[in-house]
Amino acid sequence: AAAASAAGNLSFPPDFLWGCATASYQIEGAAKEDGRGPTVWDIFSHTPGKVANGDTGDVACDSYHRYPEDIALLKALGVKAYRFSIAWSRIFPEGRGKPNQKGVDYYNRLVDALLAAGITPHVTLFHWDLPAALPGGWQNRDTAYAFGDYAAFMAGRLSDRVKQFMTVNELLCFTDLGYLTGGKAPGLKLPQKDANQVRHHGVLAHGLGVQAIRANAKAGTRVGLAENPSIYVPAVETPDHIEAVKKATRDTNAMFLTAIMEGRYLDSYLTAQGKDAPKVQEGDMKLIGAPLDFLSINVYTGKMVRADVSKPEGYAILPMTGEAPRMPSKWLYVTPEVIYWGLRAISELWKPKALYISENGCSADDKVSDDGKVYDTDRVMYLRNYMTHLQRAAREGLPIKGYFVWSLMDNFEWEDGYTKLVGIHHVDFKTQKRTPKLSADWYRELVRTNRLV
Ligand code: GBH
């Protein structure tokens, strides 16, 4: 039995996996090198008015060339794992067809260098940089099959060394935000019916990816996804509000995570969408609902929920007030408890075998001081607060196995370009020099002691 000493109560489990996360388009640069094909994000970022300052990922952190330096940063932090994504269009420049060996070589070099440094690679196969050549993008069901083929290929090439694969990152962001509201690539504003079909192709791609990885990977390979479900905090920690949080979690994620965890669309979703409901083919839901080896969630923010018996759904989601504390990204309200309640609601609803936080972090009011250092006290405060609630989840025995801070370093923050920086290392985008921020010093100590102090 665990020693119930006061100090022990602040510890994380001994085998807790600490890591850092990045994504290909946000850090790699080398957009035209070694046969990489164009992606929807290349086109979007080069379209005037789409990204702040007209910023692009053409160079970003130049990690395509500087990955040894980035691995050195990971090593200096003492983390045991690195979550990165593969640029599909480096492997298949047109999304499908003949593989590009130079792209494969890059990820082989990266994986080998990580392993040589004692760092476990966790691979995301799709973090939004869709090959532009795929006709219709995610509007086309064929794209889901192309993803399955690409997943099969990568599993075959990497699973001798990579043991943990995430199919896709954040369904909402490459479906609704790309095709319904249009703030992200490809920047379309389609009618709800078409957007619902895009959502379906997204979850179908995940399902086909799971099947493809299982069929092509070496034994012992684990498959999951990195999702950003809507997650909630009970307004008051009483059984009725806690139940309301679970119900809200299940209902509001009906098109994505609930479908994946339950292998069906909730009737309430289908009814609400009516004639706009997605067209589903025979066998789709079985693929989509394939049991996963683990589930990873990206946790940034969440809303409060209270039980409300006057509503048919039995709960009310409380809006954020204008004065609620948030980080510089306008959507990033500081709600540290959501990391615990998100994990708890998901655990109780769907009993996943293992859970990870695949991203957590924030933009902050970073300024380089005279000594060249960024003292990001606000980010330290943010991380420390979230970590307290992560530790509660571990302490109470939820199956939380690891945590990846977003992000290893400042990088191309999508439509915000380089105006919102989310790294624990500062990057000087003129010189590409990386410098640990105060938050990196803080994280290194957390990783070293494996406990909150
Ligand atoms: C993550 O998404 C991404 O996975 C990662 O690549 C990114 O760098 C990181 O966040 C930091 O931002 O005003 O309606 O357009 C976080 C979840 C969900 C946050 C969508 C931004 C846009 C809200 N994102 N949200 S909206």
Side-chain angles (χ1 to χ4, degrees):
S5 74
N9 284 343
L10 294 174
S11 291
F12 285 88
D15 52 353
F16 198 78
L17 192 74
W18 295 109
C20 292
T22 62
S24 46
Y25 189 68
Q26 296 181 272
I27 66 161
E28 284 180 359
K32 294 198 172 146
E33 219 162 305
D34 289 343
R36 176 184 177 278
T39 71
V40 295
W41 271 97
D42 296 281
I43 295 173
F44 189 77
S45 65
H46 282 270
T47 306
K50 297 296 188 189
V51 173
N53 289 334
D55 290 339
T56 74
D58 288 1
V59 179
C61 309
D62 193 33
S63 286
Y64 189 76
H65 301 110
R66 291 170 198 262
Y67 69 88
E69 242 179 279
D70 299 337
I71 294 172
L73 301 178
L74 292 161
K75 203 157 173 166
L77 283 173
V79 295
K80 291 178 265 185
Y82 179 47
R83 171 180 178 238
F84 63 92
S85 81
I86 292 179
W88 180 349
S89 79
R90 288 195 192 282
I91 310 299
F92 295 103
E94 305 200 327
R96 49 159 51 101
K98 199 166 131 347
N100 169 35
Q101 189 55 41
K102 285 192 170 158
V104 180
D105 291 343
Y106 170 65
Y107 295 105
N108 275 329
R109 290 197 296 279
L110 177 59
V111 164
D112 290 344
L114 283 165
L115 292 172
I119 296 163
T120 308
H122 284 221
V123 164
T124 314
L125 290 172
F126 178 67
H127 199 126
W128 313 349
D129 41 0
L130 186 73
L134 289 167
W138 289 111
Q139 283 186 265
N140 189 341
R141 186 178 162 100
D142 288 346
T143 295
Y145 291 95
F147 176 76
D149 293 344
Y150 153 66
F153 179 81
M154 289 320 303
R157 292 304 174 96
L158 294 183
S159 65
D160 55 336
R161 289 154 292 151
V162 173
K163 296 301 168 201
Q164 193 135 329
F165 285 91
M166 284 149 280
T167 54
V168 300
N169 181 74
E170 299 193 352
L171 285 145
L172 174 90
C173 294
F174 71 87
T175 60
D176 282 14
L177 302 190
Y179 293 82
L180 181 67
T181 55
K184 294 194 192 293
L188 302 178
K189 292 183 180 161
L190 302 177
Q192 188 69 49
K193 184 184 177 62
D194 298 334
N196 288 346
Q197 202 57 39
V198 167
R199 291 174 173 175
H200 182 67
H201 297 157
V203 288
L204 179 62
H206 158 77
L208 289 163
V210 171
Q211 183 185 53
I213 294 165
R214 294 232 163 98
N216 290 279
K218 297 228 183 302
T221 306
R222 296 177 296 277
V223 192
L225 83 159
E227 175 57 329
N228 62 325
S230 297
I231 47 178
Y232 305 100
V233 177
V236 188
E237 213 173 304
T238 52
D240 54 338
H241 297 302
I242 294 171
E243 256 331 282
V245 160
K246 283 167 65 176
K247 182 118 200 321
T249 304
R250 185 165 180 259
D251 289 351
T252 59
N253 294 296
M255 63 298 253
F256 301 128
L257 189 59
T258 306
I260 288 169
M261 300 312 276
E262 302 190 15
R264 66 187 193 97
Y265 290 125
L266 298 182
D267 293 339
S268 54
Y269 173 59
L270 295 175
T271 308
Q273 299 305 316
K275 285 206 293 286
D276 292 341
K279 271 196 280 145
V280 176
Q281 294 187 15
E282 172 110 40
D284 286 2
M285 297 317 293
K286 183 144 191 263
L287 281 168
I288 291 164
L292 302 177
D293 300 303
F294 67 93
L295 172 63
S296 296
I297 60 171
N298 298 349
V299 175
Y300 291 94
T301 193
K303 290 186 173 132
M304 278 196 192
V305 161
R306 67 181 175 85
D308 185 345
V309 290
S310 76
K311 295 216 153 61
E313 60 274 22
Y315 58 85
I317 298 172
L318 299 174
M320 282 291 176
T321 62
E323 297 300 320
R326 51 182 153 171
M327 304 310 284
S329 304
K330 66 180 188 315
W331 51 273
L332 190 39
Y333 287 95
V334 180
T335 59
E337 317 81 8
V338 83
I339 202 165
Y340 167 78
W341 285 105
L343 290 168
R344 177 159 156 190
I346 287 170
S347 297
E348 291 183 7
L349 281 169
W350 298 306
K351 316 249 169 336
K353 287 188 213 147
L355 284 165
Y356 291 82
I357 301 297
S358 33
E359 290 180 23
N360 171 237
C362 61
S363 52
D365 191 18
D366 291 346
K367 298 214 168 43
V368 182
S369 5
D370 292 342
D371 63 1
K373 184 96 177 175
V374 173
Y375 294 98
D376 53 343
T377 52
D378 45 358
R379 182 176 286 105
V380 170
M381 216 182 283
Y382 174 102
L383 290 173
R384 184 185 281 143
N385 273 318
Y386 278 68
M387 229 45 115
T388 304
H389 297 274
L390 175 69
Q391 198 268 348
R392 177 179 176 193
R395 188 175 74 225
E396 291 185 8
L398 299 180
I400 176 73
K401 306 294 180 199
Y403 169 100
F404 293 79
V405 71
W406 185 275
S407 177
L408 173 63
M409 59 195 157
D410 292 341
N411 58 47
F412 176 78
E413 178 57 11
W414 307 112
E415 65 273 30
D416 290 327
Y418 301 98
T419 65
K420 296 285 185 294
L421 300 171
V422 191
I424 61 170
H425 291 88
H426 170 73
V427 176
D428 178 327
F429 288 102
K430 291 200 183 74
T431 61
Q432 292 294 349
K433 186 170 162 21
R434 284 94 156 110
T435 310
K437 299 178 191 177
L438 183 65
S439 53
D441 300 339
W442 177 83
Y443 192 49
R444 188 183 315 114
E445 189 60 9
L446 173 71
V447 170
R448 189 184 71 77
T449 59
N450 201 38
R451 64 188 292 270
L452 298 170
V453 286

